[in-house]
């Protein structure tokens, strides 16, 4: 079935035939006195509501296993829990700020090494050693939208006995399916497009590998960063409109990007695949569109603060992927966990604006930008 349909077909665990799955709040479950056995025992291990969501998360990607976490960072941490002291992980330098913070603050204590590449897409065998246990990639990357070839990196990783992990937050299974291209694990901040309404925090991990799945399940039990039942069902409901939302958001983004590229008030627009002809070709091969996030810098002669104040529709806030448009300045907001040097290497200037497009009417968005350009132009 098409993903539009798979997103709707939620499990129906209610004994009353409810069309929407119920919220099972119980933290503990009755066990058989003789066998000390039951389908569920304690909520941290598993819960029917989280289980319903996890089956939807897996089903979206047609993956064998899906896991729901309390936040995207809890999902990322569960993946890093697969590592052992001495292991090295390769990253692109424009990785999510929170992931960067993890590598900078926690990796040294755990005896792990994170190595950053400005152009992860062009690494070769020589960049991997016997210590390299994982390649961790966001494509398109945040907030510069650089693209890497998933299939190529999967081959490279596997030749060296390493795992390829893709943070697919910006694309979701609607636009990109990394497991089909050889990735071992996919992580997502479900706070963003999956949730889609800026009203919950959640994370997701998917895999087709039984051993990896067993270890991710273990990390749920050991670290306890699982998603609670009420939010599980709210997220499950939100996912039903994911294909509709992201399609409309992407249409809006395409039109806005095209408009801005022609506008004299803009110096640069960064969108998925825009970095080079090579990256455009890769992105078109492995994804079904640019998504709904792009970044831009104003041209000289336009005042950034005035511009941001003048825009009426978008909120000035971190996060992305919701039905409402959001704008932010990564250097001082989402990516302030990175060092200045790391930001410079990744091309995250202090005046780069990241824009996440919502489902508002496109003509209203275009008109809003145009009046903000007029307001911000130095006379
Ligand atoms: C937001 C985000 C995360 C972290 O997710 P939280 O839900 O905020 O913990 C990880 N990766 C990417 C790409 C993100 O945008």
């Amino acid at each position: 079935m098409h993903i539009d349909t798979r997103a709707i077909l939620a499990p129906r665990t209610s004994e009353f035939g409810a069309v929407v799955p119920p919220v099972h709040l119980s933290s503990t479950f009755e066990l058989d006195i003789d066998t000390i056995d039951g389908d569920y025992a304690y909520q941290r291990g598993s819960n029917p509501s989280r289980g319903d969501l996890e089956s939807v998360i897996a089903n979206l990607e047609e993956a064998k296993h899906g896991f729901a976490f309390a936040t995207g960072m809890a999902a990322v941490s569960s993946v890093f829990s697969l590592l052992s002291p001495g292991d090295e992980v390769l990253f692109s330098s424009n990785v999510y700020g929170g992931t960067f913070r993890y590598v900078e603050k926690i990796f040294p204590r755990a005896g792990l090494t994170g190595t950053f590449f400005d152009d992860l897409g062009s690494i070769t065998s020589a960049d991997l050693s016997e210590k390299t246990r994982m390649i961790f990639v966001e494509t398109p990357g945040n907030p510069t939208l650089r693209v890497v070839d998933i299939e190529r990196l999967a081959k490279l990783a596997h030749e060296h006995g390493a795992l390829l992990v893709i943070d697919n937050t910006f694309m979701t299974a609607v636009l990109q399916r990394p497991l089909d291209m050889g990735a071992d694990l996919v992580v997502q901040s479900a706070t963003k497009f999956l949730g889609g309404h800026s009203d919950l925090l959640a994370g997701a991990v998917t895999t087709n590998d039984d051993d990896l799945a067993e270890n991710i399940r273990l990390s749920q039990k050991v670290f306890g960063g699982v998603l609670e039942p009420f939010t599980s069902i709210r997220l499950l409901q939100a996912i039903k409109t994911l294909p509709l939302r992201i399609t409309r958001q992407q249409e809006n983004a395409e039109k806005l990007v095209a408009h801005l590229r022609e506008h004299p008030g803009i110096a640069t627009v960064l969108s998925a695949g825009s970095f080079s002809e090579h990256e455009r070709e890769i992105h078109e091969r492995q994804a079904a569109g640019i998504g709904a996030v792009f970044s831009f810098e104003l041209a000289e002669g336009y005042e950034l603060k005035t511009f941001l104040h003048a825009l009426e529709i978008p909120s000035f806030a971190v996060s992305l992927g919701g039905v409402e448009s959001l704008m932010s300045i990564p250097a001082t907001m989402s990516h302030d966990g990175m060092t200045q040097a790391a930001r410079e290497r990744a091309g995250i200037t202090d005046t780069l604006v990241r824009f996440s497009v919502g489902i508002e009417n496109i003509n209203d968005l275009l008109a809003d930008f145009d009046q903000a350009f007029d307001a911000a132009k130095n006379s």
Side-chain angles (χ1 to χ4, degrees):
M1 284 188 212
H2 193 274
I3 192 162
D4 296 355
T5 315
R6 281 185 279 114
I8 298 291
L9 285 181
R12 292 170 193 154
T13 48
S14 162
E15 55 188 314
F16 303 114
V19 173
V20 171
V23 183
H24 291 275
L25 293 174
S26 197
S27 61
T28 189
F29 297 82
E30 280 192 313
L31 301 174
D32 184 282
I33 290 172
D34 298 319
T35 60
I36 320 285
D37 208 8
D39 291 340
Y40 297 92
Y42 186 64
Q43 193 186 114
R44 175 155 35 76
S46 62
N47 165 280
S49 296
R50 193 174 89 230
D52 284 347
L53 170 67
E54 289 178 330
S55 73
V56 168
I57 285 172
N59 212 2
L60 268 186
E61 267 179 280
E62 296 176 284
K64 219 167 150 190
H65 307 279
F67 300 93
F69 287 88
T71 66
M73 282 314 298
V76 169
S77 304
S78 80
V79 163
F80 290 154
S81 80
L82 300 167
L83 301 165
S84 306
D87 287 348
E88 179 196 36
V89 185
L90 310 187
F91 294 92
S92 51
S93 52
N94 63 0
V95 76
Y96 175 70
T99 305
F100 182 85
R101 189 180 291 122
Y102 191 115
V103 177
E104 201 199 24
K105 305 281 188 204
I106 310 294
F107 266 32
R109 268 194 237 159
L112 303 169
T113 310
T115 308
F116 288 88
F117 292 85
D118 295 340
D119 190 6
L120 192 72
S122 66
I123 61 166
T124 64
S125 265
D127 294 303
L128 285 82
S129 71
E130 68 276 14
K131 289 177 146 188
T132 312
R133 172 84 178 110
M134 187 181 281
I135 304 179
F136 186 104
V137 199
E138 288 169 39
T139 178
N142 178 15
T144 52
L145 292 312
R146 293 288 306 270
V147 167
V148 298
D149 187 334
I150 296 173
E151 232 162 46
R152 181 177 173 277
L153 279 192
K155 279 203 195 94
L156 203 56
H158 296 159
E159 277 165 22
H160 290 261
L163 299 169
L164 178 65
V165 182
I166 303 289
D167 182 334
N168 207 32
T169 299
F170 275 43
M171 293 276 102
T172 79
V174 177
L175 300 178
Q176 182 167 274
R177 299 252 306 237
L179 296 177
D180 295 351
M181 294 179 260
D184 300 285
L185 291 149
V186 170
V187 298
Q188 288 178 84
S189 170
T191 309
K192 315 295 167 56
F193 286 99
L194 295 187
H197 297 77
S198 308
D199 62 353
L200 60 81
L201 292 188
V205 176
T206 40
T207 183
N208 288 323
D209 184 294
D210 295 339
D211 287 341
L212 292 175
E214 212 39 64
N215 280 292
I216 298 294
R217 192 170 291 118
L218 178 70
S219 87
Q220 284 190 318
K221 274 195 183 165
V222 170
F223 297 118
V226 292
L227 194 61
E228 51 82 31
F230 195 66
T231 311
S232 293
I233 296 303
R234 288 208 298 129
L235 178 55
L236 184 153
Q237 286 292 86
I239 287 174
K240 291 178 181 176
T241 56
L242 169 70
L244 271 182
R245 283 186 278 109
I246 204 165
T247 302
R248 168 64 174 270
Q249 286 171 270
Q250 174 163 270
E251 278 167 20
N252 280 354
E254 282 163 354
K255 287 175 187 156
L256 264 178
V257 163
H259 184 67
L260 295 187
R261 287 223 162 91
E262 299 300 315
H263 201 285
I266 288 285
T268 0
V269 184
L270 307 175
S271 62
S274 73
F275 181 79
S276 66
E277 199 46 52
H278 181 55
E279 290 194 9
R280 183 193 320 281
E281 187 235 339
I282 295 166
H283 191 70
E284 282 175 1
R285 179 158 36 82
Q286 71 190 12
I290 63 167
V293 179
F294 63 88
S295 299
F296 62 88
E297 285 200 68
L298 292 185
E300 260 184 64
Y302 289 80
E303 224 282 303
L304 178 56
K305 278 226 170 116
T306 314
F307 183 78
L308 297 176
H309 276 292
L311 280 170
E312 285 174 9
I313 296 174
S315 296
F316 184 67
V318 293
S319 200
L320 55 100
V323 290
E324 56 289 293
S325 291
L326 296 180
M327 57 184 176
S328 64
I329 306 226
T332 45
M333 297 164 76
S334 53
H335 290 65
D336 68 340
M338 284 172 87
T339 60
Q340 175 80 22
R343 276 200 300 272
E344 269 165 27
R345 287 215 327 264
I348 305 169
T349 64
D350 290 348
T351 50
L352 187 73
V353 180
R354 187 182 75 191
F355 203 88
S356 170
V357 193
I359 61 169
E360 299 92 348
N361 182 279
I362 184 60
N363 293 324
D364 291 337
L365 286 169
L366 292 169
D368 197 22
F369 267 83
D370 284 347
Q371 64 80 22
F373 280 123
D374 289 345
K377 192 168 170 27
N378 293 331
S379 46

